[in-house]
């Protein structure tokens, strides 16, 4: 019987507030699964995609699973073939790292199939090749946390410098995914290309505070630091309900909120599951009022990352 | 006999590379001393200043010691008088936090004289009033590390949010103070007021990496993160020898270098005293070649801050 390995990779939040473009974290349970097996014929072949509503490509040079695995195989000089099945658990284009989860799950499964030639940190290098295809930029702030779990800092890209950060105990995330289409190029085009020295300094102070808060397990400091003065002021305008939600959760005890990736999903961090649930209820109310359907996911911040099932 | 209390406060490095405007650290040994005693007559009076070459003002509303103490006494509603003697150990206008050390020593002495109504973190609020007089801006990135010791993050000013960070064991600093006058307003005027989004993101990644490196005691990460793409590229042009020094220390094993405060002093961080000394020797050579006298100070990063002698 053909050896088959199946892996799971979680959803992720990138652009974590003041960590715009450099910080992401992973979610529990919600994610994609990929099954990989060796094939008699050379080359990579996507044999099945489920849960995507028919929107994802089967072509090996366009599918994030195969692009990621191909980058790994090229590095190894491996020439045999593989068959890949993708089971999407994540909605597409939601800002929850959908393409990243597929690439991460594919790599973890293929890596296991080959006897673990790489550790998970090394796999990030191959996963960003898939992001280049899926998003037009080889960004790592979704794939790295999806692979490694926890909070992950991308300090630099030249060369890639990925730093796993500690996750304070009991830190929960509420994801609110309003049903609206957000054009990624719109999200990018509203970003200012020049920012004031003052805003840049404020952003630096807040990311420094957030990192210190994660190490010190200081929820109050994390909360004070969860402020994005660079991307959020313009991007939030594209997301109805964003500021209404922030106001609604002010008295609940959540630590802060922000845009997940480039949206439209909004993330909120909370110091307990109970508060994370209250945030979810408050969020449903907010989006009900403005007439938008919303999916709510509540999860502990996932410190494990992608794994073989 | 009149009760007299004498305190010491150390020199500090502010604008620590990627921590421009938000991060400072304290040095050992080098610093100012201030002696404070209660007086029969109301008001604050500077009775002695030594070591300043006659350049510092005796007027209570202009001297950083008295301005700082006055801010504290106003807060307490204290109306008796004090006499203050200042013993400068720090050169003026060198970028080593000279005015901050005077204010910090004055506050620690006066606070002790009054039976410790405040902890050192609270004293930062009074010390920045002295910086407002001395530097024209109420910045805290010298006074906070001079008071508290170690690396100190100033996350925000509204309200003031001061976070003490850990100091990795065996971290040494070499300060090179070339004998040249640098006009503070020149140092400020060469700063760009608009920053590209890319540079701002790079700076954020580096300060996040530096904070993580301090917590993880990861010298390699600290070294990779010690890069300032915002202030240094323009300010370094005002400091002859800056890039020559960086080149000279590349093979010695130092972690990185930067402008101390707004210069002209250059700081270098090293993972041992031996390397810090080698940096000092290399620095002397560099400045000898370009015909500038230089003072060299080598010190462990001081985790103690200001104290009563």
């Amino acid at each position: 019987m053909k050896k088959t390995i199946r892996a799971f990779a979680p959803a992720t939040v990138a652009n974590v507030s003041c960590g715009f473009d450099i910080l992401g974290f992973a979610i529990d349970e919600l994610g994609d699964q990929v099954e990989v097996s060796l094939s008699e014929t050379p080359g990579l072949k996507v044999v099945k995609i489920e849960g995507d509503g028919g929107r994802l490509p089967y072509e090996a040079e366009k599918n994030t699973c195969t692009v990621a695995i191909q980058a790994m195989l090229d590095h190894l000089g491996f020439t045999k073939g593989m068959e890949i099945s993708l089971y999407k658990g994540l909605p597409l284009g939601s800002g929850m790292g959908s393409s990243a989860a597929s690439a991460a799950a594919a790599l973890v499964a293929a890596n296991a199939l080959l006897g673990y030639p790489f550790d998970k940190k090394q796999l990030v290098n191959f996963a960003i090749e898939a992001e280049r295809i899926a998003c037009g930029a080889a960004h790592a702030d979704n794939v790295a946390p999806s692979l490694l779990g926890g909070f992950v800092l991308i300090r630099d890209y030249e060369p890639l410098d990925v730093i796993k950060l500690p996750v304070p105990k009991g830190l929960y995330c509420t994801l609110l995914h309003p049903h609206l289409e957000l054009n990624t190029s719109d999200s990018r085009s509203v970003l200012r290309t020049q920012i004031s020295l003052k805003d840049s300094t404020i952003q630096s102070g807040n990311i420094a505070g957030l990192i210190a808060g994660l190490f010190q397990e200081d929820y109050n400091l994390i909360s004070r630091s969860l402020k994005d003065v660079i991307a959020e002021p313009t991007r939030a305008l594209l997301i109805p309900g964003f500021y209404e939600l922030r106001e609604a959760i002010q008295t609940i005890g959540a630590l802060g909120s922000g845009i997940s990736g480039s949206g439209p999903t909004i993330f909120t961090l909370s110091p307990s599951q109970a508060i994370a649930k209250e945030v979810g209820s408050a969020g449903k109310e907010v989006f009900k009022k403005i007439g938008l359907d919303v999916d709510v996911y509540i999860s502990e911040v996932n410190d494990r990352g992608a794994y073989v099932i």
Side-chain angles (χ1 to χ4, degrees), chain A:
Chain A
M1 203 187 102
K2 203 167 59 170
K3 190 180 172 192
T4 296
I5 292 195
R6 191 175 178 121
F8 167 84
T12 44
V13 172
N15 292 335
V16 183
S17 184
C18 51
F20 172 70
D21 249 12
I22 59 169
L23 187 70
F25 66 83
I27 296 303
D28 248 355
E29 295 168 34
L30 189 66
D32 290 351
Q33 295 190 17
V34 173
E35 213 171 67
V36 179
S37 57
L38 288 179
S39 142
E40 295 305 315
T41 50
L44 299 180
K45 194 175 177 193
V46 181
V47 293
K48 191 196 287 181
I49 306 179
E50 283 184 6
D52 68 325
R55 291 170 65 188
L56 289 178
Y58 276 77
E59 296 96 311
E61 67 280 11
K62 288 185 187 170
N63 186 288
T64 57
C65 296
T66 37
V67 170
I69 294 175
Q70 192 61 57
M72 179 172 79
L73 298 186
D74 288 348
H75 191 89
L76 285 171
F78 183 93
T79 53
K80 285 190 191 161
M82 286 186 186
E83 290 187 346
I84 292 110
S85 302
L86 168 59
Y87 305 90
K88 288 297 294 179
L90 274 180
L92 274 59
S94 58
M96 295 189 274
S98 179
S99 62
S102 299
L107 284 167
V108 165
N111 192 47
L113 194 67
L114 298 177
Y116 297 97
F118 301 105
D119 64 29
K120 288 208 282 186
K121 209 166 184 176
Q122 290 172 310
L123 295 180
V124 177
N125 293 286
F126 310 128
I128 62 176
E129 294 309 317
E131 290 292 65
R132 199 192 300 277
I133 299 295
C135 318
H139 69 101
D141 46 348
N142 287 113
V143 289
S146 188
L147 281 163
L148 302 170
F151 283 85
V152 179
L153 167 68
I154 316 299
R155 193 196 60 79
D156 200 0
Y157 282 88
E158 293 159 14
L160 188 64
D161 193 359
V162 167
I163 297 135
K164 193 169 186 319
L165 304 168
V167 178
K169 279 184 197 72
L171 189 64
Y172 275 77
C173 176
T174 309
L175 289 176
L176 294 150
H177 175 213
H179 290 196
L180 61 98
E181 286 283 328
L182 199 64
N183 193 321
T184 307
S185 65
D186 283 347
S187 287
R188 190 125 289 267
S189 70
V190 298
L191 287 176
R192 294 165 291 169
T193 55
Q194 294 285 312
I195 55 176
S196 69
L197 177 61
K198 192 183 170 196
D199 277 349
S200 175
T201 305
I202 290 172
Q203 194 89 339
S204 282
N206 282 324
I207 185 65
L210 178 56
I211 304 291
L214 292 174
F215 276 97
Q216 295 179 332
E217 300 214 351
D218 182 338
Y219 280 134
N220 202 306
L221 175 54
I222 291 170
S223 181
R224 298 199 301 278
S225 304
L226 277 173
K227 288 172 194 154
D228 170 13
V229 298
I230 288 184
E232 185 184 292
T234 52
R235 281 191 167 172
L237 304 174
L238 303 176
I239 305 172
F242 183 84
Y243 289 110
E244 291 86 340
L245 176 75
R246 180 162 291 171
E247 212 189 311
I249 63 170
Q250 239 172 10
T251 55
I252 293 175
L255 303 177
S257 63
I259 302 165
S260 178
S262 51
T265 297
I266 303 168
F267 77 90
T268 300
L269 288 171
S270 294
S272 75
Q273 191 181 33
I275 293 173
K277 284 181 177 172
E278 277 194 70
V279 169
S281 306
K284 277 183 193 164
E285 281 300 308
V286 163
F287 285 102
K288 196 177 165 188
K289 266 188 203 156
I290 58 177
L292 273 176
D293 285 334
V294 65
D295 293 323
V296 179
Y297 306 95
I298 291 159
S299 151
E300 203 163 2
V301 173
N302 166 357
D303 205 20
R304 183 182 184 190
Y307 57 89
V308 170
I309 296 171

